[in-house]
Structures are given as C-alpha cells and as structure tokens.
Amino acid sequence: MVKLNKIYTRTGDNGTTGLGTGARVKKYDLRVAAYGTVDEANAALGIARLHLADEPALDAMMMRVQNDLFDLGADLCTPPTADEAPGNALRIVPEQVSRLEQDIDMLNAELSPLTSFILPAGTPAAAHLHLARTICRRAEREMVELSHTEDESVGAPAIHYVNRLSDLLFVAARYVNARGTADVLWVPGASR
C-alpha cells in the first residue's frame, strides 16, 4: 500500500529522481522519460474518459487500462535484474497483453474495415483517444530505445503491452466515432 503524506521532499531539487530500486538518476534519464511518457498517456486517457459517459463499457475498459499504465510505470521505474525473483517487482504480464487483444477484437468486430487512413478527429472522445494513442506510441519508442541501451533492459511483456495499447486506442477512437461511420478520412493532396 502506498502512503503519501508529504508531497514535496526536496530530494529532486538537484535534478535527480529516485528509481524503484532507490538508485538516483538524472531526471532526463531515458528510463525516467519512458515512464514519464507512460504517465502522460495515462493523463490523456483520463481526459478521454470524460467524454465516455455514453459508453460505460468502454469507460470501464479504459479505467482498467489506466490502472495497467500505473503497473507499467512501476515496471519501468524498477530496472529488472538478471537474478530477480518472480514477484519481487511489479511487472507487466502476458495476460495483460492478451486482455488488450481481446478488447481490440471485441471493439473491432463492430467496425467496418478501413479503406483509407483516418485523421485523428471526430467526436471529442475520439480526438482524445487519438491523442492518448500518439503519446502511447512515443512511450513505446522510448521503451524500445531504452531496451537497446547498454546495461539497460525492459521486459518484453511491457513493450508488447504498450504496442497493443496504441492499437486498442486506435480501435476505441473509431468505435466512439459512431462505430467508425463518423471517422474523418484522409484525402491525399486535398489541399493542393
């Protein structure tokens, strides 16, 4: 259980922050950037949820995703070690990825196949879901870069999760755009 009585500690005033292991790193460290971007995606998803009152099942799905994003942040802020005992640190697990795939399939079953790229627009809910999707893609890029950095690693399920999440957010945006019928289609060269 987390207990936060005092919000400011002054320990970051020197430009460092603490990882889940207690190690101090620069606030611009790639690991910190990755879990910071996950937090940003979570905040964008919170705004999207403000527009999902007419979609209670989708809102509940996104609430679960927000909780998962905190799990992902915890995973990222605690660098894995070679001798880490299972369950010693909170990690994204394959079952969370599978759940996203099930959600994608369920939502996508109600959508017509795409015949064009779509613009990140439409209803307010769709626009905010698209914003969360693009932030999620940035988190994925940072996580992959971190995983390819010497002496760093990121668990494969964490990378799979963020990749699948951006797919879910894309499908969810289409879903709230009148099940895809209100998608705003890209018209190549329309402004020439």
Side-chain angles (χ1 to χ4, degrees):
M1 175 63 86
V2 174
K3 185 177 181 181
L4 298 173
N5 286 335
K6 190 170 183 178
I7 301 303
Y8 64 90
T9 62
R10 297 187 177 116
T11 58
D13 289 353
N14 66 355
T16 66
T17 191
L19 297 178
T21 60
R24 305 279 314 164
V25 297
K26 297 289 185 187
K27 288 188 178 187
Y28 56 79
D29 185 272
L30 187 54
R31 182 169 295 280
V32 176
Y35 68 73
T37 304
V38 167
D39 189 37
E40 187 181 345
N42 203 345
L45 195 50
I47 294 170
R49 289 188 57 217
L50 295 174
H51 302 281
L52 294 178
D54 295 337
E55 300 283 355
L58 183 59
D59 183 52
M61 184 186 299
M62 293 300 118
M63 185 173 131
R64 188 189 73 249
V65 167
Q66 283 195 287
N67 197 80
D68 283 353
L69 287 174
F70 258 80
D71 290 354
L72 179 57
D75 185 326
L76 290 170
C77 87
T78 307
T81 59
D83 61 345
E84 182 176 287
N88 199 31
L90 182 59
R91 301 286 177 214
I92 293 292
V93 295
E95 292 78 13
Q96 288 169 292
V97 178
S98 296
R99 180 63 185 259
L100 291 180
E101 292 172 351
Q102 293 167 9
D103 292 341
I104 291 166
D105 292 342
M106 182 182 71
L107 295 176
N108 204 43
E110 294 191 41
L111 304 176
S112 301
L114 279 173
T115 57
S116 171
F117 286 107
I118 62 171
L119 301 179
T123 65
H128 286 291
L129 287 165
H130 278 298
L131 179 61
R133 172 187 59 79
T134 63
I135 297 169
C136 186
R137 283 290 187 203
R138 180 164 26 100
E140 179 183 17
R141 291 189 300 272
E142 291 168 348
M143 289 168 61
V144 169
E145 181 180 1
L146 178 64
S147 75
H148 287 87
T149 300
E150 190 174 339
D151 297 326
E152 290 286 3
S153 65
V154 176
I159 293 173
H160 299 166
Y161 184 90
V162 74
N163 183 297
R164 228 55 102 249
L165 177 56
S166 60
D167 294 335
L168 173 62
L169 296 174
F170 177 80
V171 171
R174 291 197 65 218
Y175 185 85
V176 298
N177 265 345
R179 307 306 186 256
T181 61
D183 283 336
V184 180
L185 301 180
W186 172 48
V187 181
S191 302
R192 288 185 180 179

